[in-house]
């Protein structure tokens, strides 16, 4: 099969990779209908994250089940399925508590590489959620968004306790930040402040439910959030970038007693203990347990109540993956969908 391989920073190639096979009896093999490039793929692409290349790329996927191992009981060949970037058994104590991204048997899908024609999905019964029937083609981008960015933005909003009566601020206007805006709206937030300085992303944030846009960053961004919230800060803040600046901005934008959900993959961030101590802010975050939310998200998408697929503003054939990485790296595209 053909799949995306990152050789060195900036050097993305689509090349021949071994056809996946059932290795464990709990595996499934899917034919990938759509995959995509993630903001987190840019960390190794930019050389910010250590790369021991060549490595297969991609951890977001939707597709059709082709084959299942002998111990797979609920997932069947022919089903259209969505899975998360962590494979999880969905039965261990951590999974049952709603933290499938820390499953005791978890497998990181990025090590398998789903920017490819086919993929092996470990722990298929736990990992995959089948859609009600074969989805219409126009729903596929939204279902693919559920595989990571929507589920991650959703977790950020839940961790920040977005809900009725709350003012929610979202730091980061990438696909996850935009999906956090959508999630906050679905969860019933009263006011949603998107922090963005890019016009097309501001527009999408508004479509997803943002009531206010703040273009300032850093201390000025914090001051603007305070100004909009009677000097108090937001009840709920979602951090969707993962840098020192965005984390600091998020903590300082949250009011005492408020909640901050951080879902940007953290890179070289350190927070001073004394500042955290005096902030009185609840912090919760990490790799999102997307699997926990998939059944609900798939239903909202199937019923056409949400349209998170709008975050994909560029679709390319898998063969042009390198151009997809470039477009995201240069911020010419919010998110790139790849069709094998
Ligand atoms: Zn588990």
């Amino acid at each position: 099969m053909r799949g995306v391989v990152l050789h060195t920073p900036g050097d993305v190639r689509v090349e021949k990779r071994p056809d996946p096979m059932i290795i464990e009896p709990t595996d499934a093999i899917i034919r990938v209908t759509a995959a995509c490039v993630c903001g987190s793929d840019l960390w190794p692409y930019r050389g910010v994250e250590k790369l021991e290349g060549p490595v297969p790329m991609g951890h977001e996927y939707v597709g059709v089940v082709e084959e299942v191992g002998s111990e797979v009981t609920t997932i069947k060949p022919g089903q259209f399925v969505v899975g998360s970037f962590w494979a999880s058994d969905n039965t261990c104590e951590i999974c049952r508590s709603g933290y499938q991204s820390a499953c005791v048997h978890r497998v990181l899908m990025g090590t398998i590489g789903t920017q490819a024609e086919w993929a092996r999905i470990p722990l298929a019964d736990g990992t995959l959620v089948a859609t009600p029937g074969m989805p219409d083609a126009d729903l596929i981008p939204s279902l693919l968004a559920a595989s990571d960015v929507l589920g991650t933005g959703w977790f950020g909003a839940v961790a920040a306790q977005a809900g009725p009566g709350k003012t929610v601020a979202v730091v980061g206007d990438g696909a996850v930040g935009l999906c956090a805006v959508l999630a906050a709206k679905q969860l019933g937030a009263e006011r949603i402040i998107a922090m963005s300085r890019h016009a097309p992303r501001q527009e999408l944030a508004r479509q997803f439910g943002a009531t206010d846009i703040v273009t300032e960053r850093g201390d000025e961004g914090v001051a603007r959030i305070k100004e909009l919230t009677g000097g108090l800060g937001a009840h709920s803040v979602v951090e969707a970038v993962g840098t020192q600046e965005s984390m600091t901005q998020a903590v300082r934008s949250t009011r005492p007693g408020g909640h901050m959900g951080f879902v940007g993959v953290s890179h070289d961030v350190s927070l001073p203990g004394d500042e955290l101590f005096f902030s009185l802010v609840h912090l919760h975050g990490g790799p999102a347990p997307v699997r926990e939310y998939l059944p609900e998200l798939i239903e909202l998408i199937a019923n056409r109540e949400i349209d998170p697929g709008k975050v994909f503003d560029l679709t390319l054939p898998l063969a042009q993956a390198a151009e997809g990485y470039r477009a995201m790296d240069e911020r010419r595209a919010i998110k790139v969908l790849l069709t094998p």
Side-chain angles (χ1 to χ4, degrees):
M1 70 162 183
R2 299 188 69 75
V4 173
V5 176
L6 180 62
H7 283 255
T8 55
D11 181 10
V12 166
R13 302 181 204 170
V14 177
E15 54 193 44
K16 210 166 157 51
R17 288 184 46 208
D19 288 341
M21 292 188 314
I22 300 283
I23 297 174
E24 301 290 337
T26 46
D27 287 346
I29 304 296
I30 66 164
R31 181 166 48 80
V32 177
T33 305
C36 50
V37 184
C38 184
S40 65
D41 293 333
L42 296 179
W43 293 106
Y45 179 80
R46 290 171 172 161
V48 176
E49 198 171 276
K50 197 159 161 271
L51 175 68
E52 285 172 15
V55 291
M57 295 296 288
H59 54 263
E60 297 150 287
Y61 54 96
V62 294
V64 178
V65 178
E66 290 286 330
E67 189 186 349
V68 296
S70 59
E71 288 178 20
V72 175
T73 57
T74 59
I75 292 296
K76 313 274 183 217
Q79 285 177 329
F80 190 94
V81 289
V82 186
S84 158
F85 49 91
W86 284 108
S88 54
D89 58 19
N90 211 29
T91 55
C92 76
E93 196 170 328
I94 302 296
C95 280
R96 281 185 284 118
S97 71
Y99 287 87
Q100 291 88 339
S101 47
C103 172
V104 298
H105 295 120
R106 68 182 183 177
V107 178
L108 189 56
M109 291 304 298
T111 62
I112 288 174
T114 59
Q115 290 163 4
E117 291 175 292
W118 307 78
R120 179 176 75 89
I121 312 294
L123 305 166
D125 281 334
T127 305
L128 297 173
V129 180
T131 56
M134 202 52 72
D136 293 338
D138 67 326
L139 290 180
I140 286 173
S142 287
L143 291 166
L144 179 62
S147 175
D148 181 353
V149 289
L150 175 61
T152 296
W154 200 275
F155 172 57
V158 168
Q161 302 215 342
K166 300 280 184 72
T167 294
V168 180
V170 177
V171 182
D173 63 359
V176 170
L178 293 166
C179 285
V181 168
L182 182 155
K185 170 81 176 170
Q186 285 293 314
L187 293 166
E190 185 173 301
R191 190 173 188 193
I192 303 168
I193 306 168
M195 306 189 83
S196 171
R197 49 178 61 179
H198 298 264
R201 296 174 189 227
Q202 293 171 356
E203 169 54 28
L204 192 48
R206 286 199 186 278
Q207 287 179 33
F208 281 168
T211 52
D212 300 82
I213 303 287
V214 164
T215 55
E216 292 86 351
R217 281 189 187 173
D219 291 344
E220 288 177 7
V222 173
R224 190 80 189 100
I225 297 289
K226 293 263 173 78
E227 230 176 86
L228 291 168
T229 53
L232 303 176
H235 301 95
S236 304
V237 177
V238 181
E239 189 283 332
V241 185
T243 60
Q244 182 69 48
E245 183 187 46
S246 63
M247 284 289 280
T248 303
Q249 190 176 318
V251 171
R252 294 180 183 169
S253 299
T254 313
R255 68 174 58 190
H259 293 76
M260 176 186 144
F262 57 104
V263 290
V265 181
S266 189
H267 281 78
D268 293 324
V269 175
S270 56
L271 299 173
D274 56 346
E275 182 173 347
L276 289 180
F277 182 81
F278 287 103
S279 72
L280 284 165
V281 169
H282 301 75
L283 294 177
H284 185 31
V290 173
R291 174 64 182 80
E292 177 72 3
Y293 308 117
L294 275 180
E296 182 185 358
L297 300 179
I298 288 172
E299 194 181 335
L300 287 169
I301 292 164
N303 294 338
R304 297 181 181 274
E305 289 174 50
I306 57 173
D307 191 6
K310 284 181 181 164
V311 295
F312 293 105
D313 52 354
L314 179 61
T315 295
L316 294 171
L318 182 70
Q320 291 176 35
E323 166 53 19
Y325 276 77
R326 270 194 299 277
M328 287 209 20
D329 181 40
E330 294 163 13
R331 284 177 76 87
R332 282 184 280 121
I334 299 173
K335 197 161 173 71
V336 178
L337 187 145
L338 299 172
T339 52

